Each structure stands twice: as C-alpha cells, then as structure tokens.
Amino acid sequence: MFAIPLAWLQLKREKVRLLVALAGIGFAVILMFIQFGFQDALFDSAVSLHRNIEGDIFLISPQSTALIAMEQFPQRRLYQSLGVSGVESVSPLYLGFATWRNPTNRKTRQILVIGFEPDNPIFNQTIVSNLAPIRLPDTVLFDRASREEFGPIGELFDQQKVVTTELSGRRVTVGGLFKLGASFGADGNLITSDINFLRLFGQRKIGQLDVGVIRLQPGADREQVLKRLEATLQESTKDVRVLSKEGFVEFERSYWASSTAIGFIFTLGAAIGFVVGTVIVYQILYTDVSDHLAEYATLKAMGYRNLYLLSVVFQEAFILAIMGYIPGLLFSTGLYNLTRNATSLPIYMTTQRSLMVFCLTVIMCMMSGAIAVRRVQDADPADIF
C-alpha cells in the first residue's frame, strides 16, 4: 500500500490546487482555534477572581447571578458561620463598579472595585504582596493587567510618580499595584480596604456584603462543614447560599456558558469553521478523484481492489489534514499573542486545545474523503474504456 506514495504524488501534481486546499484547511483550523480560544479565555477570565481568592467555602445571595450582577446579603450571616464546627475564620468581600477617570486623557470608564479588610487578606502574596497602602484613606491598588484605556498607571507608578485621579467623583491615590487580569465582565480592577470601599459607595447599606469568604480549620472535612453550614444558614431563612470553591467557580462559569449568548456564538463559530473545512476538502478530493478516474479504473482492471483505491483517497485526506493543520497552528499562536497583548485576556495555546483541533481537522478531512470516495467505488473499467 505504501510502496509507491500514490496519494502524495497525486496531490503534488497539481501544485496550485494543493495550495488552495491547504489555504482552505488552514483557514478552517484558524477559525476553530480562534473560536475555542476566545471561549476558553472568556471562561478563564470570568473565574480568575474566584480562583485566586483564598477560601474554602463561600456565601452569596441567592439573587446573585454573576460577578457583574451581585446582590447583597446581611453580614451577620457570615459571622454566624463562626459558630459552626470546623470554621476557622471569615472575611467579608465587597464588590462594585465605579467610574474611573484616566489621569492622562481624563476619559472615564467603569472599573471593578474589590474591598476587604486589610488585616484579613483574601488574596495570596503572588497576587498582591503589600496591603499597607490601602489602610490610608482614599487609597487604592491598581491592577497592572487592566486594559490600557485606564491609562499608563503601571508605568507611572514604576517611575515613582504620584498617581491621583477621580473614582466615582472622589479623589483617590494609587498606592500600589497588583496583577489579576481583565475579563469580559470587568476591563480593570482595583483593590481597597472595606472602609474605603464604603466611602466610595455611599449608597451601600452598612452591614451588607457581596461575598462571604470562609476558611476552615486544618484537617476539617470540607463536605461535612459545608453540610453543617447549609443546615445552620439555609434552614431558617433563604437569604444566603452556601457554595464550595468549585461551586463558586461553576456559579460564574455557568452564567457565561448558558445565560448569555457569548458561549453559544463561539461554539457556533467553531462549528462553521468545521463545516467550511469539510466542504473545501471534499471539493478538492472530489475534483482530484474525477481527474484521475481513468487511472483508478485502470488499477481496478489490473486487479486492485476497492480497499486499496479507498485507502489512497483517505491517505490524501490525512496528508491534507497534517499539512493544513501545521500552518494554521502557527498562525493561530501568533494571533493568540496579538490578542492577549491587545485585550489583556488570558488566551494561550494549550496542549489540550491543539490536540482537540488537530483531531477535529483529521475528522473533517476524513469525512470529506468518505464522501468523495464514492466516486472511486463507482469507477467501472468497462464504462471508462
């Protein structure tokens, strides 16, 4: 079967046709990579805050739907959990969107403000190493991974310049930097103390928070503590919802996957790329088979079985899949880097995604070959000659 590379010889004979086929497959590969990449970047960025909070169990309002639409619940419910066996400490977390004024061009943009007690930090030191500045009045930490529309805050701070601006009409000072990253819901982030947060959001009622972060004692059984918290906090009233960290992440992820059109759009785009590639490869293979129909009929007359002739077409499909996938992978990697630098979204080329798109490319080409191969089966030497 492989003594004579018939499939490769047929493909390279028409070099223009081969280049057109590879361009079409490469386009389909790039389209699938882009759609899957943006979809994963959407989910990863949406849950970046959730994953980086150091907590074992989380409390939220049952009316909350996502990070961009959080509802408040009474703070006393969080402190009530301290009476549950296995709970070591709790931290109130405040979230809100405020209007940030770019200090260089004076344009405004919405930014996510994260407030918590400086004495009870919720992030590890890889995210933010120094919380001392936010103890000062009207002082915030700026996310250096925010979109550039907020201004060159990181560069100005690194140059040891005093950065002051307006935040929802209140004058604030940037006291430090951290790195969390933008998301589809928030283009930028700020960290400040709970006291500063309540100053910024004067309309917020005292004693109302957005998320309750609970840490467990070393060795405590999380599932058992989770059940005890549910029994203690949810039986009497329905004003709080108890979630594990995985449940808290899934709470956000499911919103973007099922409650918005974004997840569907990206999946549809990848499906369109698959269909487009299938059609292109089918047209190339069908044309190639039709052009060499006499040769296939001659091989049949010489005694070659349909299985051999079918294998030639499938070899052509596999060769096209490999040759079209490699440039598509390289070009998509460059587009990922360009997109990440332009949008600050966490879009990277992963092994899992590259293998998935490769498998889809092979399936796409094999499906096209399976459709085109019927032309070879119909080749009858008596009809041809």
Side-chain angles (χ1 to χ4, degrees):
M1 183 181 298
F2 299 101
I4 299 176
L6 183 59
W8 168 243
L9 293 174
Q10 287 190 157
L11 285 175
K12 76 172 187 176
R13 182 173 179 272
E14 296 288 341
K15 294 182 173 57
V16 175
R17 182 188 299 167
L18 176 61
L19 291 176
V20 171
L22 297 181
I25 297 171
F27 172 77
V29 169
I30 292 170
L31 186 56
M32 288 189 287
F33 266 125
I34 292 300
Q35 298 300 318
F36 286 134
F38 272 112
Q39 186 179 58
D40 289 345
L42 163 66
F43 293 144
D44 291 342
S45 64
V47 301
S48 177
L49 174 64
H50 306 63
R51 287 175 173 165
N52 284 291
I53 296 176
E54 291 191 322
D56 301 297
I57 297 176
F58 297 82
L59 304 183
I60 63 174
S61 168
Q63 282 73 46
S64 295
T65 56
L67 189 68
I68 60 174
M70 298 297 292
E71 298 291 337
Q72 291 79 52
F73 66 93
Q75 188 172 357
R76 59 183 174 80
R77 307 290 281 157
L78 175 63
Y79 289 109
Q80 186 180 348
S81 64
L82 285 171
V84 175
S85 176
V87 174
E88 182 178 54
S89 64
V90 298
S91 301
L93 176 62
Y94 303 88
L95 302 170
F97 284 90
T99 304
W100 169 273
R101 186 176 295 277
N102 187 321
T104 56
N105 60 21
R106 312 304 295 170
K107 293 183 178 180
T108 59
R109 196 177 186 89
Q110 291 293 301
I111 193 169
L112 177 65
V113 183
I114 306 167
F116 55 86
E117 299 172 351
D119 294 330
N120 201 1
I122 62 170
F123 296 114
N124 57 46
Q125 292 191 350
T126 60
I127 302 296
V128 53
S129 58
N130 184 17
L131 292 174
I134 63 175
R135 299 176 188 273
L136 301 174
D138 299 324
T139 304
V140 299
L141 305 181
F142 183 84
D143 184 1
R144 65 161 64 246
S146 299
R147 289 180 57 86
E148 61 182 11
E149 287 82 358
F150 294 100
I153 310 302
E155 291 83 350
L156 294 174
F157 191 85
D158 291 338
Q159 296 171 8
Q160 298 184 347
K161 296 182 179 180
V162 177
V163 181
T164 59
T165 187
E166 290 182 12
L167 186 63
S168 290
R170 192 179 185 93
R171 188 174 183 82
V172 296
T173 301
V174 176
L177 302 174
F178 69 101
K179 189 172 183 179
L180 183 61
S183 69
F184 276 76
D187 292 333
N189 306 289
L190 296 175
I191 285 178
T192 191
S193 68
D194 53 341
I195 297 176
N196 283 329
F197 183 94
L198 294 174
R199 287 197 187 105
L200 288 167
F201 297 88
Q203 73 280 8
R204 292 284 293 265
K205 294 181 180 179
I206 303 297
Q208 298 288 316
L209 64 148
D210 299 278
V211 181
V213 183
I214 299 175
R215 299 184 186 87
L216 303 184
Q217 296 172 355
D221 188 321
R222 189 185 64 172
E223 296 303 318
Q224 292 297 324
V225 177
L226 191 65
K227 292 179 180 179
R228 287 195 288 266
L229 284 168
E230 290 175 344
T232 302
L233 302 178
Q234 293 183 344
E235 280 190 356
S236 57
T237 60
K238 302 294 183 181
D239 61 350
V240 68
R241 182 181 176 188
V242 183
L243 298 171
S244 64
K245 186 163 188 175
E246 292 79 8
F248 188 45
V249 170
E250 184 58 30
F251 154 79
E252 186 75 24
R253 184 183 179 90
S254 62
Y255 169 80
W256 292 101
S258 58
S259 299
T260 67
I262 299 178
F264 172 79
I265 290 172
F266 288 141
T267 303
L268 179 62
I272 291 174
F274 182 87
V275 172
V276 168
T278 302
V279 173
I280 291 174
V281 177
Y282 165 72
Q283 290 178 333
I284 296 297
L285 292 178
Y286 185 86
T287 303
D288 182 77
V289 169
S290 298
D291 289 348
H292 297 91
L293 197 58
E295 288 85 345
Y296 283 118
T298 302
L299 290 173
K300 272 191 174 184
M302 293 171 62
Y304 284 91
R305 297 183 178 180
N306 274 333
L307 182 62
Y308 173 77
L309 303 180
L310 301 181
S311 69
V312 173
V313 178
F314 281 119
Q315 286 177 50
E316 290 186 24
F318 188 73
I319 292 172
L320 289 174
I322 298 295
M323 295 184 66
Y325 173 79
I326 293 175
L329 172 66
L330 297 176
F331 195 80
S332 298
T333 303
L335 288 178
Y336 280 6
N337 294 332
L338 179 65
T339 303
R340 186 171 61 253
N341 294 331
T343 65
S344 299
L345 289 175
I347 181 169
Y348 299 92
M349 182 60 70
T350 63
T351 302
Q352 181 181 3
R353 189 184 307 129
S354 60
L355 289 176
M356 179 180 66
V357 174
F358 174 73
C359 292
L360 288 174
T361 305
V362 173
I363 293 172
M364 173 182 74
C365 292
M366 290 302 178
M367 286 178 57
S368 303
I371 300 173
V373 82
R374 293 181 302 176
R375 184 69 170 152
V376 177
Q377 291 176 314
D378 296 336
D380 190 339
D383 295 335
I384 299 299
F385 302 105

